Coordinates of all heavy atoms in Angstrom, one line a residue:
M1 N 24.4 133.0 58.7 CA 25.0 131.9 59.3 C 24.6 131.9 60.8 O 25.4 131.5 61.6 CB 26.5 131.9 59.2 CG 26.9 131.0 58.1 SD 28.7 130.9 57.9 CE 29.2 129.9 59.3
A2 N 23.5 132.3 61.2 CA 23.0 132.3 62.6 C 22.9 130.9 63.0 O 22.4 130.0 62.3 CB 21.7 133.0 62.7
R3 N 23.3 130.6 64.3 CA 23.2 129.3 64.8 C 22.7 129.4 66.3 O 22.9 130.5 66.9 CB 24.5 128.6 64.8 CG 25.1 128.4 63.5 CD 26.0 127.2 63.4 NE 26.8 127.1 62.3 CZ 26.4 126.7 61.1 NH1 25.1 126.3 60.9 NH2 27.2 126.7 60.1
E4 N 22.1 128.4 66.8 CA 21.8 128.3 68.2 C 23.1 128.3 69.0 O 24.1 127.7 68.5 CB 21.0 127.1 68.5 CG 19.6 127.0 67.8 CD 18.9 125.7 68.1 OE1 19.5 124.8 68.8 OE2 17.8 125.5 67.6
I5 N 23.1 128.8 70.2 CA 24.2 128.7 71.1 C 24.7 127.3 71.3 O 25.9 127.1 71.3 CB 23.9 129.4 72.4 CG1 23.5 130.8 72.3 CG2 25.1 129.2 73.4 CD1 24.7 131.8 72.0
D6 N 23.8 126.4 71.4 CA 24.2 125.0 71.6 C 24.4 124.1 70.4 O 24.4 122.9 70.5 CB 23.2 124.3 72.6 CG 23.2 125.0 73.9 OD1 24.2 125.4 74.4 OD2 22.1 125.1 74.5
S7 N 24.4 124.7 69.2 CA 24.5 123.9 68.0 C 25.9 123.3 67.9 O 26.9 123.8 68.5 CB 24.3 124.8 66.7 OG 25.3 125.8 66.6
H8 N 26.0 122.1 67.2 CA 27.2 121.4 67.2 C 27.5 121.1 65.7 O 26.6 121.0 64.9 CB 27.1 120.1 67.9 CG 26.8 120.3 69.4 ND1 27.7 120.7 70.3 CD2 25.6 120.2 70.1 CE1 27.2 120.8 71.5 NE2 25.9 120.5 71.4
P9 N 28.8 120.9 65.4 CA 29.1 120.5 64.0 C 28.4 119.1 63.7 O 28.1 118.5 64.7 CB 30.6 120.3 64.0 CG 31.1 121.0 65.2 CD 30.0 121.0 66.2
L10 N 28.2 118.8 62.6 CA 28.6 119.2 61.3 C 27.8 120.4 60.8 O 26.6 120.3 60.8 CB 28.6 118.0 60.3 CG 29.5 116.9 60.7 CD1 29.1 115.6 59.9 CD2 30.9 117.2 60.4
F11 N 28.5 121.4 60.3 CA 27.9 122.5 59.7 C 28.0 122.3 58.2 O 28.8 121.6 57.7 CB 28.6 123.8 60.1 CG 28.6 124.0 61.6 CD1 29.7 124.4 62.2 CD2 27.4 123.9 62.3 CE1 29.7 124.6 63.6 CE2 27.4 124.1 63.7 CZ 28.6 124.5 64.3
T12 N 27.1 123.1 57.4 CA 27.2 123.0 56.0 C 28.5 123.5 55.5 O 29.1 124.4 56.1 CB 26.0 123.8 55.3 OG1 26.1 125.1 55.8 CG2 24.7 123.2 55.7
D13 N 29.0 123.0 54.4 CA 30.3 123.4 53.8 C 30.1 124.8 53.1 O 31.1 125.6 53.1 CB 30.8 122.4 52.8 CG 31.3 121.2 53.5 OD1 31.6 121.2 54.6 OD2 31.4 120.1 52.8
Y14 N 29.0 125.0 52.5 CA 28.9 126.2 51.7 C 27.6 127.0 52.1 O 26.6 126.5 52.2 CB 28.8 125.9 50.2 CG 28.7 127.1 49.4 CD1 29.9 127.8 49.1 CD2 27.5 127.6 48.9 CE1 29.8 129.0 48.3 CE2 27.4 128.8 48.2 CZ 28.6 129.5 47.9 OH 28.5 130.6 47.2
V15 N 27.8 128.2 52.4 CA 26.7 129.2 52.7 C 27.0 130.4 51.9 O 28.1 130.8 51.6 CB 26.8 129.6 54.2 CG1 25.7 130.6 54.6 CG2 26.7 128.3 55.1
T16 N 25.9 131.0 51.4 CA 26.0 132.1 50.4 C 26.6 133.3 51.1 O 27.0 134.2 50.4 CB 24.7 132.4 49.8 OG1 23.8 132.8 50.9 CG2 24.1 131.3 49.0
T17 N 26.8 133.3 52.4 CA 27.3 134.5 53.0 C 28.8 134.4 53.3 O 29.3 134.8 54.3 CB 26.6 134.7 54.4 OG1 26.7 133.5 55.1 CG2 25.1 135.1 54.1
R18 N 29.6 133.8 52.4 CA 31.0 133.6 52.6 C 31.7 134.9 52.9 O 32.6 134.9 53.7 CB 31.6 132.9 51.3 CG 33.2 132.8 51.5 CD 33.9 132.4 50.2 NE 33.2 131.4 49.4 CZ 32.7 131.6 48.2 NH1 32.7 132.7 47.7 NH2 32.1 130.6 47.6
W19 N 31.3 136.0 52.3 CA 32.0 137.2 52.5 C 32.0 137.7 54.0 O 32.7 138.6 54.3 CB 31.4 138.3 51.6 CG 31.6 138.1 50.1 CD1 32.3 137.1 49.6 CD2 31.0 138.8 49.1 NE1 32.3 137.2 48.2 CE2 31.5 138.3 47.9 CE3 30.2 139.9 49.1 CZ2 31.1 138.8 46.6 CZ3 29.8 140.5 47.8 CH2 30.3 139.9 46.6
Y20 N 31.1 137.2 54.7 CA 30.9 137.6 56.1 C 31.4 136.6 57.2 O 31.2 136.8 58.3 CB 29.4 138.0 56.4 CG 28.8 138.8 55.2 CD1 27.9 138.3 54.3 CD2 29.3 140.1 55.1 CE1 27.4 139.1 53.3 CE2 28.8 140.9 54.0 CZ 27.9 140.4 53.1 OH 27.4 141.1 52.1
R21 N 32.0 135.5 56.7 CA 32.4 134.5 57.6 C 33.7 134.9 58.3 O 34.6 135.4 57.7 CB 32.7 133.2 56.8 CG 31.4 132.5 56.4 CD 31.8 131.1 55.9 NE 31.0 130.8 54.7 CZ 31.2 129.8 53.9 NH1 32.2 129.0 54.1 NH2 30.4 129.6 52.9
A22 N 33.8 134.5 59.5 CA 35.0 134.8 60.3 C 36.1 133.8 59.8 O 35.8 132.7 59.4 CB 34.7 134.5 61.8
P23 N 37.4 134.2 59.9 CA 38.5 133.4 59.5 C 38.5 132.0 60.1 O 38.7 131.0 59.5 CB 39.7 134.1 59.9 CG 39.3 135.6 60.0 CD 37.9 135.5 60.4
E24 N 38.1 131.9 61.4 CA 38.1 130.6 62.1 C 37.1 129.7 61.5 O 37.2 128.5 61.4 CB 38.0 130.7 63.6 CG 36.8 131.4 64.1 CD 37.0 132.9 64.3 OE1 37.8 133.5 63.6 OE2 36.3 133.5 65.2
V25 N 36.0 130.2 61.0 CA 34.9 129.4 60.4 C 35.4 128.9 59.0 O 35.3 127.7 58.7 CB 33.6 130.2 60.2 CG1 32.6 129.4 59.4 CG2 33.0 130.6 61.5
L26 N 36.1 129.8 58.3 CA 36.7 129.4 57.0 C 37.7 128.3 57.2 O 37.9 127.5 56.3 CB 37.3 130.6 56.3 CG 36.3 131.7 55.9 CD1 37.1 133.0 55.5 CD2 35.5 131.3 54.7
L27 N 38.4 128.3 58.3 CA 39.5 127.3 58.6 C 38.9 126.1 59.2 O 39.7 125.2 59.6 CB 40.5 128.0 59.5 CG 41.4 129.0 58.8 CD1 42.2 129.8 59.8 CD2 42.2 128.5 57.7
G28 N 37.6 126.0 59.4 CA 37.0 124.7 59.9 C 36.9 124.6 61.4 O 36.9 123.5 61.9
S29 N 37.0 125.7 62.1 CA 36.9 125.6 63.6 C 35.6 124.9 64.0 O 34.5 125.3 63.5 CB 37.0 127.0 64.2 OG 36.8 126.9 65.6
P30 N 35.7 124.0 65.0 CA 34.4 123.4 65.5 C 33.7 124.3 66.5 O 32.6 124.0 66.9 CB 34.9 122.1 66.1 CG 36.3 122.5 66.6 CD 36.8 123.4 65.5
T31 N 34.3 125.4 66.9 CA 33.8 126.3 67.9 C 33.0 127.5 67.2 O 33.5 128.1 66.2 CB 34.9 126.9 68.7 OG1 35.6 125.9 69.3 CG2 34.3 127.8 69.8
Y32 N 31.8 127.7 67.6 CA 31.0 128.8 67.1 C 30.4 129.6 68.3 O 29.7 129.0 69.1 CB 29.8 128.2 66.2 CG 29.1 129.3 65.5 CD1 29.3 129.5 64.1 CD2 28.2 130.1 66.1 CE1 28.7 130.5 63.4 CE2 27.5 131.1 65.4 CZ 27.8 131.3 64.1 OH 27.1 132.3 63.4
G33 N 30.8 130.8 68.3 CA 30.4 131.6 69.4 C 30.2 133.1 69.0 O 30.2 133.4 67.8
P34 N 29.9 134.0 70.0 CA 29.7 135.4 69.7 C 30.7 136.1 68.9 O 30.4 136.9 68.0 CB 29.6 136.0 71.1 CG 29.1 134.9 72.0 CD 29.8 133.7 71.4
P35 N 32.0 135.7 69.0 CA 33.0 136.4 68.1 C 32.8 136.2 66.6 O 33.0 137.1 65.8 CB 34.4 135.8 68.6 CG 34.1 135.4 70.0 CD 32.7 134.9 70.0
V36 N 32.2 135.0 66.3 CA 31.9 134.8 64.9 C 30.8 135.7 64.4 O 30.9 136.3 63.3 CB 31.6 133.3 64.7 CG1 31.0 133.0 63.3 CG2 32.7 132.4 65.0
D37 N 29.8 135.9 65.2 CA 28.8 136.8 64.8 C 29.2 138.3 64.8 O 28.8 139.1 64.0 CB 27.6 136.7 65.8 CG 26.9 135.3 65.6 OD1 26.9 134.8 64.5 OD2 26.3 134.8 66.6
M38 N 30.1 138.6 65.7 CA 30.7 140.0 65.8 C 31.5 140.3 64.5 O 31.4 141.4 64.0 CB 31.5 140.2 67.0 CG 30.7 140.2 68.3 SD 29.4 141.5 68.3 CE 30.4 142.9 68.4
W39 N 32.2 139.3 64.0 CA 33.0 139.4 62.8 C 32.0 139.7 61.6 O 32.2 140.6 60.9 CB 33.8 138.2 62.5 CG 34.5 138.2 61.2 CD1 34.0 137.9 60.0 CD2 35.8 138.7 60.9 NE1 34.9 138.1 59.0 CE2 36.1 138.6 59.6 CE3 36.9 139.1 61.8 CZ2 37.3 138.9 59.0 CZ3 38.1 139.5 61.2 CH2 38.3 139.4 59.8
A40 N 31.0 138.9 61.6 CA 30.0 139.1 60.5 C 29.3 140.5 60.6 O 29.2 141.2 59.6 CB 28.9 138.0 60.6
M41 N 29.0 140.9 61.8 CA 28.4 142.2 61.9 C 29.4 143.3 61.5 O 29.0 144.3 60.8 CB 28.0 142.5 63.4 CG 27.2 143.7 63.6 SD 26.8 144.1 65.3 CE 28.4 144.7 65.8
G42 N 30.6 143.2 61.8 CA 31.6 144.2 61.4 C 31.8 144.3 59.9 O 31.9 145.4 59.4
T43 N 31.8 143.1 59.3 CA 31.9 143.2 57.8 C 30.7 143.8 57.1 O 30.8 144.5 56.1 CB 32.2 141.8 57.2 OG1 31.1 140.9 57.6 CG2 33.5 141.2 57.7
I44 N 29.5 143.5 57.7 CA 28.3 144.1 57.2 C 28.3 145.6 57.4 O 27.9 146.4 56.5 CB 27.1 143.4 57.8 CG1 27.0 142.0 57.3 CG2 25.8 144.2 57.5 CD1 26.0 141.1 58.1
M45 N 28.7 146.0 58.6 CA 28.8 147.5 58.9 C 29.7 148.2 57.9 O 29.5 149.3 57.4 CB 29.2 147.7 60.3 CG 28.2 147.3 61.3 SD 26.5 148.0 61.1 CE 26.9 149.7 61.5
A46 N 30.9 147.6 57.6 CA 31.9 148.1 56.7 C 31.2 148.3 55.3 O 31.4 149.3 54.6 CB 33.1 147.3 56.6
E47 N 30.5 147.2 54.9 CA 29.8 147.3 53.6 C 28.7 148.4 53.6 O 28.6 149.1 52.6 CB 29.2 145.9 53.3 CG 28.6 145.8 51.9 CD 28.2 144.4 51.6 OE1 28.8 143.4 52.1 OE2 27.3 144.3 50.8
L48 N 28.0 148.6 54.7 CA 27.0 149.6 54.7 C 27.6 151.0 54.6 O 27.1 151.9 53.9 CB 26.2 149.5 56.0 CG 25.2 148.3 56.0 CD1 24.6 148.2 57.4 CD2 24.1 148.5 55.0
F49 N 28.8 151.2 55.2 CA 29.5 152.5 55.2 C 30.2 152.8 53.9 O 30.2 153.9 53.4 CB 30.5 152.6 56.3 CG 29.9 152.8 57.7 CD1 30.1 151.9 58.7 CD2 29.1 153.9 57.9 CE1 29.5 152.1 59.9 CE2 28.5 154.1 59.2 CZ 28.7 153.2 60.2
T50 N 30.7 151.8 53.2 CA 31.5 152.0 52.0 C 30.7 151.6 50.7 O 31.2 151.9 49.6 CB 32.8 151.1 52.0 OG1 32.4 149.7 52.0 CG2 33.7 151.4 53.2
L51 N 29.5 151.0 50.9 CA 28.7 150.6 49.8 C 29.4 149.6 48.9 O 29.1 149.4 47.7 CB 28.2 151.8 49.0 CG 27.4 152.8 49.7 CD1 27.1 154.0 48.8 CD2 26.2 152.2 50.4
R52 N 30.3 148.8 49.5 CA 30.9 147.7 48.8 C 31.4 146.7 49.8 O 31.7 147.0 50.9 CB 32.0 148.1 47.9 CG 33.2 148.8 48.6 CD 34.2 149.4 47.6 NE 35.2 150.1 48.3 CZ 36.4 149.8 48.3 NH1 36.9 148.8 47.6 NH2 37.3 150.4 49.1
P53 N 31.5 145.4 49.4 CA 31.9 144.4 50.3 C 33.4 144.6 50.8 O 34.2 145.0 50.0 CB 31.8 143.1 49.5 CG 31.1 143.4 48.3 CD 31.1 144.8 48.1
L54 N 33.7 144.3 52.0 CA 35.0 144.4 52.5 C 35.9 143.3 52.1 O 37.1 143.5 51.7 CB 35.0 144.5 54.1 CG 36.3 144.7 54.8 CD1 36.9 146.0 54.4 CD2 36.0 144.7 56.3
F55 N 35.4 142.1 52.1 CA 36.2 140.9 51.7 C 35.4 140.0 50.7 O 34.8 139.0 51.0 CB 36.4 140.0 52.9 CG 37.1 140.7 54.1 CD1 36.4 140.8 55.3 CD2 38.3 141.3 54.0 CE1 37.0 141.4 56.4 CE2 38.9 141.9 55.1 CZ 38.2 142.0 56.3
P56 N 35.3 140.5 49.4 CA 34.5 139.7 48.4 C 35.3 138.5 47.8 O 35.6 138.5 46.6 CB 34.3 140.8 47.4 CG 35.5 141.7 47.4 CD 35.9 141.7 48.9
G57 N 35.5 137.5 48.6 CA 36.3 136.3 48.1 C 35.4 135.5 47.2 O 34.2 135.3 47.3
S58 N 36.1 134.9 46.2 CA 35.4 134.0 45.3 C 35.5 132.5 45.7 O 34.9 131.7 45.1 CB 36.1 134.1 43.9 OG 37.5 133.8 44.0
S59 N 36.3 132.2 46.8 CA 36.4 130.9 47.3 C 36.8 131.1 48.8 O 37.2 132.2 49.2 CB 37.4 130.0 46.6 OG 38.7 130.5 46.7
E60 N 36.8 130.0 49.5 CA 37.3 130.1 50.9 C 38.7 130.5 51.0 O 39.1 131.4 51.8 CB 37.0 128.8 51.7 CG 35.5 128.6 51.9 CD 35.2 127.4 52.7 OE1 36.1 126.6 53.1 OE2 34.0 127.2 53.1
A61 N 39.6 130.0 50.1 CA 41.0 130.4 50.1 C 41.2 131.8 49.7 O 42.0 132.6 50.3 CB 41.8 129.5 49.2
D62 N 40.4 132.2 48.7 CA 40.5 133.6 48.3 C 39.9 134.6 49.3 O 40.5 135.7 49.5 CB 39.7 133.8 47.0 CG 39.8 135.2 46.4 OD1 41.0 135.7 46.3 OD2 38.8 135.8 46.0
Q63 N 39.0 134.1 50.1 CA 38.4 134.9 51.2 C 39.5 135.1 52.2 O 39.6 136.2 52.7 CB 37.2 134.1 51.8 CG 36.4 134.9 52.8 CD 35.6 136.0 52.2 OE1 35.3 136.0 51.1 NE2 35.4 137.0 53.0
L64 N 40.2 134.1 52.6 CA 41.2 134.2 53.6 C 42.4 135.1 53.1 O 42.9 135.9 53.8 CB 41.8 132.8 54.0 CG 40.9 132.0 54.8 CD1 41.4 130.5 54.8 CD2 40.8 132.5 56.2
H65 N 42.7 135.1 51.8 CA 43.7 135.9 51.2 C 43.2 137.4 51.3 O 44.0 138.3 51.7 CB 43.9 135.5 49.8 CG 45.1 136.3 49.2 ND1 44.9 137.4 48.4 CD2 46.4 136.1 49.2 CE1 46.0 137.9 48.1 NE2 47.0 137.1 48.5
K66 N 42.0 137.7 51.0 CA 41.5 139.0 51.0 C 41.5 139.6 52.4 O 41.8 140.7 52.6 CB 40.1 139.1 50.4 CG 40.1 138.9 48.9 CD 38.8 139.2 48.2 CE 38.8 139.0 46.7 NZ 39.9 139.3 46.0
I67 N 41.1 138.7 53.4 CA 41.2 139.2 54.8 C 42.6 139.5 55.2 O 42.9 140.5 55.8 CB 40.6 138.1 55.7 CG1 39.1 137.9 55.5 CG2 40.9 138.4 57.2 CD1 38.4 136.7 56.1
S68 N 43.6 138.7 54.8 CA 45.0 138.9 55.1 C 45.5 140.2 54.5 O 46.3 140.9 55.1 CB 45.8 137.7 54.7 OG 45.5 136.6 55.4
C69 N 45.0 140.5 53.3 CA 45.5 141.7 52.6 C 45.0 143.0 53.3 O 45.6 144.0 53.3 CB 45.0 141.7 51.2 SG 45.9 140.6 50.1
V70 N 43.9 142.9 54.0 CA 43.3 144.0 54.8 C 43.9 144.1 56.2 O 44.3 145.2 56.6 CB 41.8 144.0 54.8 CG1 41.2 145.1 55.7 CG2 41.2 144.1 53.4
I71 N 43.9 143.0 56.9 CA 44.3 143.1 58.3 C 45.7 142.5 58.6 O 46.2 142.5 59.7 CB 43.3 142.4 59.2 CG1 43.2 140.9 59.0 CG2 41.9 143.1 59.1 CD1 42.3 140.2 60.0
G72 N 46.4 142.0 57.5 CA 47.7 141.4 57.7 C 47.6 139.9 58.0 O 46.6 139.4 58.3
S73 N 48.7 139.2 57.8 CA 48.8 137.8 58.1 C 48.9 137.5 59.5 O 49.7 138.3 60.2 CB 50.0 137.2 57.3 OG 49.8 137.3 55.9
P74 N 48.3 136.5 60.1 CA 48.4 136.3 61.5 C 49.8 135.8 61.9 O 50.5 135.1 61.0 CB 47.3 135.2 61.7 CG 47.1 134.5 60.4 CD 47.4 135.6 59.4
I75 N 50.2 136.1 63.1 CA 51.5 135.6 63.6 C 51.2 134.8 64.8 O 50.1 134.9 65.5 CB 52.5 136.7 63.8 CG1 51.9 137.7 64.8 CG2 52.9 137.3 62.5 CD1 52.9 138.8 65.2
K76 N 52.1 133.9 65.2 CA 51.9 132.9 66.2 C 51.5 133.5 67.6 O 50.5 133.0 68.2 CB 53.1 132.1 66.4 CG 52.9 130.9 67.3 CD 54.0 129.9 67.3 CE 53.6 128.6 68.0 NZ 54.4 127.5 67.7
N77 N 52.1 134.6 68.0 CA 51.7 135.2 69.3 C 50.4 135.9 69.3 O 49.9 136.3 70.3 CB 52.8 136.0 69.9 CG 53.1 137.3 69.1 OD1 52.6 137.5 68.0 ND2 53.9 138.1 69.7
E78 N 49.9 136.2 68.1 CA 48.6 136.9 68.0 C 47.4 136.0 67.8 O 46.3 136.2 68.4 CB 48.6 137.9 66.8 CG 49.4 139.1 67.0 CD 49.4 140.0 65.8 OE1 48.9 139.6 64.7 OE2 50.0 141.1 65.9
W79 N 47.6 134.9 67.1 CA 46.5 134.0 66.8 C 47.0 132.6 66.6 O 46.9 132.0 65.5 CB 45.7 134.5 65.6 CG 44.3 133.9 65.4 CD1 43.4 133.5 66.4 CD2 43.7 133.5 64.2 NE1 42.3 133.0 65.9 CE2 42.4 132.9 64.5 CE3 44.1 133.5 62.9 CZ2 41.6 132.5 63.5 CZ3 43.2 133.1 61.9 CH2 42.0 132.6 62.2
P80 N 47.5 131.9 67.6 CA 48.1 130.6 67.4 C 47.0 129.6 67.1 O 47.3 128.6 66.3 CB 48.7 130.3 68.8 CG 48.0 131.2 69.8 CD 47.7 132.4 69.0
E81 N 45.8 129.7 67.5 CA 44.7 128.8 67.2 C 44.4 128.8 65.7 O 44.2 127.8 65.1 CB 43.4 129.1 68.0 CG 43.5 129.1 69.5 CD 44.0 130.4 70.1 OE1 44.2 131.4 69.3 OE2 44.3 130.5 71.3
G82 N 44.4 130.0 65.1 CA 44.1 130.1 63.7 C 45.2 129.5 62.9 O 45.0 128.8 61.9
L83 N 46.5 129.7 63.3 CA 47.6 129.0 62.6 C 47.5 127.5 62.7 O 47.9 126.8 61.7 CB 48.9 129.6 63.1 CG 49.1 131.1 62.7 CD1 50.4 131.6 63.4 CD2 49.2 131.3 61.2
E84 N 47.1 127.0 63.8 CA 47.0 125.6 64.0 C 45.8 125.0 63.1 O 46.0 124.0 62.5 CB 46.7 125.2 65.4 CG 47.9 125.3 66.3 CD 49.0 124.3 65.9 OE1 48.7 123.1 65.5 OE2 50.2 124.7 65.9
L85 N 44.7 125.8 63.0 CA 43.6 125.4 62.1 C 44.1 125.3 60.7 O 43.8 124.4 59.9 CB 42.4 126.3 62.3 CG 41.6 126.2 63.5 CD1 40.7 127.4 63.7 CD2 40.9 124.9 63.6
A86 N 44.9 126.4 60.3 CA 45.4 126.5 58.9 C 46.3 125.3 58.6 O 46.3 124.7 57.5 CB 46.1 127.8 58.7
K87 N 47.2 125.0 59.6 CA 48.1 123.9 59.4 C 47.4 122.6 59.2 O 47.8 121.8 58.4 CB 49.1 123.9 60.6 CG 50.2 122.8 60.5 CD 51.0 122.9 61.7 CE 52.1 121.8 61.7 NZ 52.9 121.8 62.9
A88 N 46.4 122.4 60.0 CA 45.6 121.1 59.9 C 45.0 120.9 58.5 O 44.8 119.8 58.1 CB 44.5 121.1 61.0
M89 N 44.7 122.0 57.8 CA 44.1 121.8 56.5 C 45.0 122.2 55.4 O 44.6 122.4 54.2 CB 42.8 122.6 56.4 CG 42.9 124.1 56.6 SD 41.3 125.0 56.6 CE 40.6 124.5 55.0
N90 N 46.3 122.3 55.7 CA 47.4 122.6 54.7 C 47.2 123.9 54.0 O 47.4 124.1 52.8 CB 47.5 121.5 53.7 CG 48.3 120.3 54.2 OD1 49.2 120.5 55.1 ND2 48.1 119.2 53.6
Y91 N 46.7 124.9 54.8 CA 46.5 126.3 54.2 C 47.7 127.1 54.7 O 48.0 127.1 55.9 CB 45.2 126.9 54.6 CG 45.1 128.3 54.1 CD1 44.7 128.5 52.8 CD2 45.3 129.4 54.9 CE1 44.6 129.8 52.2 CE2 45.2 130.7 54.4 CZ 44.9 130.9 53.1 OH 44.8 132.1 52.6
K92 N 48.3 127.8 53.8 CA 49.4 128.8 54.2 C 48.9 130.2 54.0 O 48.5 130.5 52.8 CB 50.6 128.5 53.4 CG 51.3 127.1 53.8 CD 52.6 127.0 53.1 CE 53.2 125.6 53.2 NZ 53.5 125.1 54.5
F93 N 48.9 131.0 55.0 CA 48.5 132.4 54.9 C 49.5 133.1 54.0 O 50.7 132.8 54.1 CB 48.4 133.1 56.3 CG 47.2 132.7 57.0 CD1 47.2 131.7 58.0 CD2 46.0 133.4 56.8 CE1 46.0 131.4 58.7 CE2 44.8 133.1 57.5 CZ 44.8 132.1 58.4
P94 N 49.1 134.0 53.2 CA 50.0 134.8 52.4 C 50.8 135.7 53.4 O 50.3 136.1 54.5 CB 49.2 135.7 51.5 CG 47.9 135.7 52.2 CD 47.7 134.4 53.0
Q95 N 52.1 136.0 53.1 CA 52.9 136.9 53.9 C 52.6 138.3 53.6 O 53.2 138.9 52.7 CB 54.4 136.5 53.8 CG 54.7 135.1 54.3 CD 54.2 134.9 55.7 OE1 54.5 135.7 56.6 NE2 53.5 133.8 55.9
V96 N 51.6 138.9 54.3 CA 51.2 140.3 54.0 C 51.3 141.0 55.3 O 50.9 140.5 56.4 CB 49.7 140.3 53.5 CG1 49.2 141.7 53.3 CG2 49.5 139.4 52.3
S97 N 51.9 142.2 55.3 CA 51.9 143.1 56.5 C 51.2 144.4 56.1 O 51.3 144.8 55.0 CB 53.3 143.3 56.9 OG 54.1 144.0 55.9
V98 N 50.5 144.9 57.1 CA 49.8 146.2 56.8 C 50.3 147.2 57.8 O 51.0 147.0 58.7 CB 48.3 146.0 57.0 CG1 47.7 145.2 55.8 CG2 47.9 145.4 58.3

């Protein structure tokens, strides 16, 4: 999912690298920057160390669920932007604490 720094939406809906997408990308954020690439790098590094995918989601919703099961559900004071993105697309994070 590499992009130019100055690339603008519309992005493709489906990319085969769903397992490495940052949550904000899964939630439809129009912003794409270095944190998105750092997330992808971190998931790839975890896979290299464990020899299995960290978040092997079967859909975008399942992907977000798997991420929440590992790092917990976001709360308003930690990630208000993500909760707003989720609300805009009628996605409710599972209530998971780690």
